[in-house]
Amino acid sequence: MSFPAESKTDRPPIPTGGFKGCDLPPVVTDKPPRVLIAGAGLGGLFLGILLENSGIPYEIFERSAEIRPLGSIMCLSPNILPAFEQLGLLDELMSFSKPSRGGTMLTDKLKLVGKAIAAPTDLIGYDRILLARPELYTMLFSNIPKEKIRMSKKVLSFQQNHEGVMLRFSDNTTIHGDILVGADGAHSAVRQHLYKTLGKQGLLPDSDTKEMCKGYISLVGTTDALDPEKYPGVLEEDSESYFVVGDKNTPYTVGVAEVADEQFKSSDWIPQQNQKMMDSIRHFKTPYGTLGDLFDVTPIERVSKVGAGAVNAMQDAVLLANHLYDIYPTSFENIKRAFSSYKDERFDAIKDQYPQSYMSAKLIYGHTLSERIVRHVVFNWLPKGIQHRQFLKDTAYRPQANFLPQAPKRGSLEVIPQRPSIRIPKEEGETRELKKQGIVVPL
Ligand SMILES: Cc1cc2nc3c(=O)[nH]c(=O)nc-3n(C[C@H](O)[C@H](O)[C@H](O)COP(=O)(O)OP(=O)(O)OC[C@H]3O[C@@H](n4cnc5c(N)ncnc54)[C@H](O)[C@@H]3O)c2cc1C
């Protein structure tokens, strides 16, 4: 049940010249829409893999010249693991991940604040897992045919009309497609350009004119292989995670406030700036020595400053791929309808998560007195039953690709049902009808 795969030979290359006017009637075609993806981050790559499996033609444009193994620890929850399983990537993912069945919260003097305990796997079906971002990135990157990822292609702007979209790059080239997906990160050029256009037309909602909430700055990196004598945890089957949180008198708070503006004006990968921040915090204690001990086994090129949000980016990709798959035949109206139903399906889930992730960030990283009191109450006094219920609620949302066989049901938890495809039952009905008439339908 997929569009015929497209090869380089059955379609001429996309023209790179100008952009046609919009006074022609809109094009309707039974070919699937050509999708242009800006940004080869985790979201863009995941969408690419999904489209690869759906037969929808796509290309990914990434501003960096090469892939860099950046980032550090990353947590993937049961909310996205069924989609990995559908794509046949779960076993490989698990080969470099470790289950995370809890976490320990300590003060900067290494005094216990509390412990978080995960819900049982037989109920949830999947473990929450911890992994190194570079390994996940490499796995996703290697699952996309090389010719579909174009490096050194920095998107500057785009134009769109009833016939499609034209992307303009910093090397003065352009490319045409039917749909553009901005997966170019927190400072998205696609979004900025769209907002500028909507602003000029007076269509930009007020809430989108506000400065982005900067939250907390994370300095992340991946160490070389650690010595098991000093870090016995590396030999364990489960992961061990510690959060060491300072108070407002510790340099954590000072450092964060100072670096915040610098970070948002600059690129993620400026080793000198990262080195400055690392030098100021290397004396911080960890259960295994100081942060400096970890910095000493971490090449500076592998350190970067970033936020989180991978699970959301990948869930976006799953649902977007479902709605792109439902576009048939390809026309301006059907593309508009697909985006509108994508928004209907996704918006409320994201809106619910926003206050929740704001609260969790405060709970995990907050330094003020009130944040520390709330943390103490939640980790020590909040009845386990309430924590458990919240955890079940959080893990019940698990979008899957409609156009692939569903992942087997794991765990006893009832998962929130998702919208079915509108295209698949229609095509199945047509196929049944043709078969009844004795017409053989090619697979
Ligand atoms: C280097 C890096 C390290 C990270 N490390 C961690 C981590 O350790 N832990 C964690 O939880 N999260 C980490 N994250 C965050 C997490 O990966 C993302 O927030 C999340 O995956 C959202 O993904 P995304 O695809 O929307 O955006 P991103 O992952 O930010 O990817 C955006 C991509 O778009 C590219 N891009 C930006 N502008 C343009 C443009 N104009 N034209 C073309 N391409 C463009 C960027 O180079 C990047 O490859 C990291 C992100 C990055 C970029």
Side-chain angles (χ1 to χ4, degrees), residues 247-269:
D247 59 31
K248 77 179 180 44
N249 299 317
T250 64
Y252 284 93
T253 315
V254 175
V256 167
E258 235 175 43
V259 186
D261 281 331
E262 209 182 343
Q263 141 82 11
F264 276 88
K265 281 180 209 136
S266 62
S267 152
D268 297 334
W269 308 286

Side-chain angles (χ1 to χ4, degrees), residues 39 41-43 62-63 71-74 133 155 184 269 306-308:
L42 297 180
E62 167 59 44
R63 70 174 172 190
S72 70
I73 200 94
M74 178 162 258
R133 183 185 184 274
V155 174
D184 48 346
W269 308 286
V306 283

